[in-house]
Amino acid sequence: MAFLNINATLPEKGRDLRLDLFRGVANWAIFLDHIPDNVVNWITTRNYGFSDAADLFVFISGYTASFVYARMMLERGFVVGATRLTKRVWQLYVAHIILFVIYIASISYLALRFGDSEMINEFNVAGLVDNATETLRQGLFLRFKPLNLDVLPLYIVLMGLFPPVLWFMLRKPDLTMALSIVLWLAARHFGWNLNAYPAGQWYFNPYCWQVLFVFGAWCAMGGARRSMALINSPITLWACLGYLLFALVMTMAGRFPALGGMLPEWLFAAFNPNDKTNLAPYRFLHFVVIVILVIRFVPKEWPGLEWRVFDPLIVCGQQSLAVFCVGVFLSFVGHFELSMSSGSLLAQIFVSIAGIAIMTTVAYYISWSKKQDKPLKPPPAKPAAEAKAA
């Protein structure tokens, strides 16, 4: 029964602040990237390489899911672990439906209030005008998704299918990772994807993006530890830096036609446009390179994680679901504000800073509120001598 033996290495107990920090970075970047014609989103990683905040969000989601539920599955059984995962999926689904309703109601109201019919088409909610009942029904089944509401349904599907994957990962982590890669490549080759409503397919192909989620779980289950010799190799370091430079050049070539015109057509066309829907291999490799460099240079015990300057990001990462939902809605508000105003540089900066400030405030409030829900610790008992003297 060797197959039933646990071969994965569980992470050490205790919170890994790196996960909170980078999840906070992902939430801020997703908010900024969802506001078009915004100069501030030039600070996000999508402008300097193939991968972006969405890749980071999915990877960390897979890492934390295994980090949290693997030990529970081992200590209390598969059924308990699977039901706890299912409970989390339900929480994600409820959050998505609430965000979905608020989002489409806001878009529809503002479009009618200001007579802007183009807004309905821009945010992909035209179906609500033509066939509201069916459109809302499809939204409940995650098939209808307004603009920028694609990440959470992907997360729901990946988490919903994760219990058997985690069971297998605990026993055969390397084989599970290999099978995930095979599924990703097969989906790219055969064109597998989920259908969307009223037409088209999912923007984030779950058959492809699952490889980032499973890669996160594999790293958490000992894959990173087993690879430390390769990660710390000088050859690996130079190869990673070289690939990051190459990705920077190719991405900039897509941003600036003058630079793109200097490159051979076959080379430029191989990387532009960036295939995000089906997670192009060069995109996945770019993210793997970033993970390698972070593991190498930002260990779990890095003192910098305690710096106060990182506190807002870490708190936003710790309250990730609420901050993500607020950020998606605020990105719509920011887009609307810029489109209705002059859209000046000052307005772009103000909208961006205000949105991040609101997200951070929400995160701090939720963190504070959760602490208030915990029972107060009783005061320490007085020593017997003092009690007698009193």
Side-chain angles (χ1 to χ4, degrees), residues 162-175:
F162 192 53
V165 175
L166 182 57
W167 186 92
F168 201 70
M169 175 73 75
L170 285 167
R171 290 153 178 82
K172 296 290 181 180
D174 294 340
L175 178 58

Side-chain angles (χ1 to χ4, degrees), residues 59 62-63 66 162 166 169 212-223:
F59 169 82
Y63 193 107
S66 58
F162 192 53
L166 182 57
M169 175 73 75
L212 271 172
F213 193 88
V214 175
F215 178 55
W218 178 81
C219 287
M221 294 291 98

Side-chain angles (χ1 to χ4, degrees), residues 5 16 32 158 165 218 264 297 316 319 331 366 371 374:
N5 294 335
D16 189 341
L32 293 173
L158 295 180
V165 175
W218 178 81
F297 293 108
C316 284
Q319 311 301 333
S331 66
I366 295 175
K371 290 179 181 178
K374 296 180 180 178

Side-chain angles (χ1 to χ4, degrees), residues 262-284:
M262 298 170 60
L263 300 175
E265 176 60 27
W266 63 267
L267 180 61
F268 177 84
F271 300 95
N272 290 284
N274 188 331
D275 183 6
K276 189 172 184 176
T277 293
N278 296 308
L279 194 68
Y282 55 80
R283 185 184 181 102
F284 179 58

Side-chain angles (χ1 to χ4, degrees), residues 281-302:
Y282 55 80
R283 185 184 181 102
F284 179 58
L285 179 59
H286 183 262
F287 186 79
V288 171
V289 164
I290 293 175
V291 171
I292 289 173
L293 293 177
V294 169
I295 292 173
R296 179 167 181 153
F297 293 108
V298 188
K300 182 180 179 180
E301 61 277 5
W302 180 52

Side-chain angles (χ1 to χ4, degrees), residues 30 34 54 57-58 96 99 103 123-124 142-158 196 201-206 209 276-277 324 328:
I30 288 172
H34 283 173
F57 184 88
V58 173
H96 171 71
L99 177 61
Y103 197 75
F123 285 89
N124 191 33
L142 306 181
R143 294 187 63 207
F144 169 69
K145 296 180 289 295
L147 183 69
N148 297 335
L149 260 63
D150 301 282
V151 176
L152 209 50
L154 171 69
Y155 188 15
I156 292 169
V157 169
L158 295 180
Q201 296 179 313
W202 280 38
Y203 181 71
F204 291 103
N205 184 345
W209 279 77
K276 189 172 184 176
T277 293
F324 173 83
V328 170

Side-chain angles (χ1 to χ4, degrees), residues 14-129:
R15 191 145 200 151
D16 189 341
L17 291 180
R18 293 176 302 176
L19 299 175
D20 297 326
L21 174 65
F22 287 112
R23 191 157 46 185
V25 169
N27 277 322
W28 286 14
I30 288 172
F31 161 70
L32 293 173
D33 288 341
H34 283 173
I35 304 176
D37 302 320
N38 178 22
V39 69
V40 182
N41 63 32
W42 271 95
I43 69 173
T44 65
T45 56
R46 72 170 184 176
N47 302 288
Y48 308 102
F50 299 133
S51 61
D52 60 22
D55 307 62
L56 179 59
F57 184 88
V58 173
F59 169 82
I60 293 180
S61 298
Y63 193 107
T64 54
S66 58
F67 183 88
V68 171
Y69 297 104
R71 186 170 277 106
M72 183 183 298
M73 195 172 283
L74 289 177
E75 294 175 352
R76 303 172 63 182
F78 172 79
V79 173
V80 173
T83 55
R84 297 306 87 190
L85 268 166
T86 304
K87 179 182 178 181
R88 181 57 175 170
V89 172
W90 174 249
Q91 292 171 342
L92 294 171
Y93 179 76
V94 170
H96 171 71
I97 295 303
I98 293 173
L99 177 61
F100 172 79
V101 172
I102 294 174
Y103 197 75
I104 61 176
S106 301
I107 294 171
S108 301
Y109 170 77
L110 292 175
L112 293 173
R113 174 70 174 77
F114 293 93
D116 188 356
S117 58
E118 285 301 315
M119 183 184 298
I120 292 179
N121 294 321
E122 181 180 0
F123 285 89
N124 191 33
V125 294
L128 289 170
V129 178

